[in-house]
Amino acid sequence: MQPYEVTLVVNGTARRVRVPARRLLSDCLRHDLGLTGTHVGCEHGVCGCCTVLLDGEPVRSCLTFAVTVDGREITTVEGLAGEDGMSPVQRAFAECHGLQCGFCTPGFLCTVTALLRDNPAPTDEEVLEGVSGNLCRCTGYQNIVKSVHRAAELIAEEG
Amino acid sequence: MKPPPFEYHAPRDLGEALDVLAGAGARGKVLAGGQSLIPIMNMRLASPEHLVDINRLHELDTVEETAGGVRVGALARHSRVERLRAHPLLGQALRLVAHPVIRNRGTVVGSLVHADPAAELPAVLAVLDGSVRLATAGGTRDVAARDFFTGPLESAVQAGELAVSAYFPNTRPRSGTAFREVARRHGDYALAGVCAVVTLDEDLRVERARVACIGVGAVPVVVDVPCERRPAATVGWDEAVRAVREATDPEGDIHASAAYRRHLVGVLAEQALKEAARAAV
Ligand SMILES: Cc1cc2nc3c(=O)[nH]c(=O)nc-3n(C[C@H](O)[C@H](O)[C@H](O)COP(=O)(O)OP(=O)(O)OC[C@H]3O[C@@H](n4cnc5c(N)ncnc54)[C@H](O)[C@@H]3O)c2cc1C
Ligand code: FES
Ligand code: FES
């Protein structure tokens, strides 16, 4: 059970790591690559805070082995901001108080980034369905839903 | 909650995968989307010695629409099959499986092989009389849904076998379908659920009605329900509800008692049958 050489393109940069096959992508990002923005709550797919983008699609990093995604592109919360600062989704969450303790936030931000790319003007119902796999123990979700709509506005305004 | 160590195999094509699986025998397990297997490994409820990762077998990432139905390859993920709208009942069921993010990884065939008694897709395969194609290095065999689900979390897949595809037959003309379930929280496995297929004759009277129920037995419970040959809107489903309650044998757990599940499955059967009948017109 020798370690595997794995290359992940994380937030646009190719990163090489040597990991055992059983290394979860979440642990690989956090421990091997030092990207602790991706949070880990339940490790069985329920809470959603470990959600990252795999070739643009949101997935649970706690339910993915790093070896499986060798060579693929990963975007974590650290990669959402652009050169001129936070992304519209991040700014909307800050503006609308879409977070309190912030533990769930990386997962919401990644999920919502993909949601708005696929559906730039979601209804309330579509927002709820879209974030239904992410748990938040603080906000009561109202401000998260507001943040998603606000992010949609910001993205539309900024083209 | 970390998975135990295992020997990892990442075959590049089907032939190689089957050879590796043959070599691993009962000590091997297939890794598809990992959305059931990895939680189980994280919880140390399974510790396969060999994992055969099929995520590079792009030849199995297929959804083929034929005259008679839809054949879904082993690497076709829930979200893709849902987007293709290849089969109405399959689409209705997929929207009830977990959350969108889980469906980005989970595979249709993986859900069937996993054979959770509360999972939606096994019921769809069962109510449609579909089948699963299993391959070994020596050849393939098709197993009908009624023989495929053998117990809770148990399917007909033998050591060394790979499920390469599943076949979901189309419903007959003038058919409607529906899937109703009740779960404690959005995206959870259901306490109970019912999918229904109702077929009308040429005069738009109900000719045939069939349901498959989940969460109320070890495997999906299929019932050909008694129905009066009358126009869909005027059919009373009381007898069907009785037949469904009689055919199911739910167990109680911390989420719901057996009696509640039995009550629930009848209510859901009536709702699903009515909705399917309306959709058939
Ligand atoms: C939070 C959460 C909620 C969920 N809710 C639901 C729900 O409401 N309804 C529901 O149905 N499911 C639910 N699931 C389970 C999920 O849908 C799984 O994705 C699915 O059951 C398995 O598909 P997979 O491709 O991920 O299979 P894996 O997890 O990779 O494998 C599952 C099992 O099938 C075997 N297997 C997989 N593919 C093959 C193959 N081609 N040949 C032979 N063996 C194979 C594996 O060895 C393993 O034993 C939920 C999961 C999570 C994490
Ligand atoms: S840590 Fe991955 S879903 Fe909770
Ligand atoms: S902000 Fe604290 S869990 Fe969501």
Side-chain angles (χ1 to χ4, degrees):
Chain A
M1 305 193 187
Q2 78 285 17
Y4 286 80
E5 287 277 346
V6 173
T7 305
L8 304 175
V9 182
V10 183
N11 302 327
T13 308
R15 307 279 305 260
R16 269 261 339 254
V17 282
R18 276 169 71 80
V19 291
R22 65 171 171 149
R23 181 78 90 240
L24 299 171
L25 177 60
S26 45
D27 288 340
C28 178
L29 292 167
R30 290 176 55 83
H31 303 313
D32 299 297
L33 296 176
L35 293 170
T36 52
T38 298
H39 289 172
V40 168
C42 67
E43 290 186 326
H44 60 272
V46 173
C47 74
C49 71
C50 69
T51 306
V52 299
L53 304 179
L54 169 65
D55 293 334
E57 291 303 324
V59 302
R60 298 287 199 244
S61 61
C62 75
L63 298 187
T64 309
F65 290 121
V67 279
T68 295
V69 293
D70 183 19
R72 312 272 299 269
E73 292 204 18
I74 315 285
T75 307
T76 67
V77 67
E78 289 94 341
L80 296 182
E83 277 174 9
D84 1 295
M86 290 199 295
S87 75
V89 177
Q90 289 173 306
R91 275 179 281 137
F93 270 69
E95 191 185 307
C96 303
H97 299 281
L99 63 147
Q100 288 178 22
C101 79
F103 192 81
C104 66
T105 312
F108 272 98
L109 293 175
C110 289
T111 306
V112 170
T113 299
L115 173 73
L116 292 178
R117 179 201 57 213
D118 297 342
N119 183 357
T123 61
D124 263 349
E125 205 178 309
E126 287 165 342
V127 172
L128 287 179
E129 168 73 12
V131 300
S132 63
N134 292 72
L135 300 183
C136 174
R137 297 294 277 168
C138 299
T139 62
Y141 301 101
Q142 303 300 321
N143 286 347
I144 291 180
V145 174
K146 263 188 221 151
S147 304
V148 180
H149 289 304
R150 178 67 185 136
E153 275 173 26
L154 288 175
I155 294 168
E157 281 167 19
E158 296 168 15
Chain B
M1 292 244 308
K2 306 297 175 196
F6 51 83
E7 201 69 58
Y8 178 71
H9 306 270
R12 293 272 156 193
D13 60 50
L14 181 58
E16 192 189 340
L18 296 177
D19 286 342
V20 177
L21 274 171
R27 295 172 303 149
K29 243 190 183 317
V30 173
L31 172 68
Q35 303 302 290
S36 288
L37 183 56
I38 298 181
I40 289 171
M41 290 177 67
N42 284 355
M43 292 187 253
R44 302 279 171 128
L45 297 173
S47 43
E49 268 177 65
H50 295 268
L51 263 201
V52 184
D53 186 345
I54 61 168
N55 283 282
R56 288 168 186 80
L57 304 188
H58 301 293
E59 65 201 283
L60 299 182
D61 186 5
T62 53
V63 180
E64 290 161 42
E65 294 181 49
T66 66
V70 182
R71 183 167 290 283
V72 180
L75 204 52
R77 309 204 189 258
H78 297 145
S79 55
R80 173 158 171 249
V81 178
E82 191 185 342
R83 266 198 310 274
L84 288 175
R85 297 173 187 277
H87 193 292
L89 181 56
L90 193 52
Q92 287 164 335
L94 280 165
R95 283 191 287 280
L96 299 171
V97 175
H99 310 287
V101 175
I102 306 280
R103 299 201 292 269
N104 279 341
R105 291 299 290 167
T107 63
V108 168
V109 171
S111 287
L112 298 174
V113 177
H114 186 59
D116 192 294
E120 290 82 3
L121 302 186
V124 172
L125 195 80
V127 82
L128 296 172
D129 274 332
S131 59
V132 180
R133 183 161 294 168
L134 304 177
T136 57
T140 60
R141 61 181 181 126
D142 285 339
V143 181
R146 81 183 81 83
D147 303 318
F148 187 75
F149 304 106
T150 53
L153 303 179
E154 276 173 32
S155 74
V157 178
Q158 300 295 309
E161 271 184 320
L162 180 71
V164 286
S165 65
Y167 182 66
F168 295 89
N170 291 332
T171 52
R172 291 192 267 177
R174 294 182 303 277
S175 293
T177 62
F179 207 128
R180 290 291 181 106
E181 67 175 39
V182 168
R184 281 278 183 214
R185 289 169 305 192
H186 184 95
D188 276 9
Y189 277 110
L191 297 178
V194 177
C195 65
V197 180
V198 173
T199 305
L200 308 181
D201 65 15
E202 281 180 355
D203 303 318
L204 301 184
R205 294 172 310 180
V206 173
E207 181 178 78
R208 183 168 178 261
R210 187 175 218 218
V211 298
C213 313
I214 61 173
V216 289
V219 297
V221 180
V222 178
V223 190
D224 284 298
V225 297
C227 50
E228 314 143 58
R229 211 176 176 97
R230 300 218 329 236
T234 66
V235 170
W237 296 101
D238 294 353
E239 231 180 289
V241 169
R242 249 193 311 278
V244 166
R245 289 201 173 116
E246 249 162 52
T248 52
D249 184 20
E251 280 183 22
D253 58 22
I254 53 167
H255 304 294
S257 66
Y260 175 66
R261 280 201 165 90
R262 189 185 301 275
H263 171 75
L264 185 59
V265 77
V267 174
L268 292 169
E270 182 172 358
Q271 291 177 355
L273 285 163
K274 280 187 176 158
E275 188 185 327
R278 270 199 304 275
V281 178

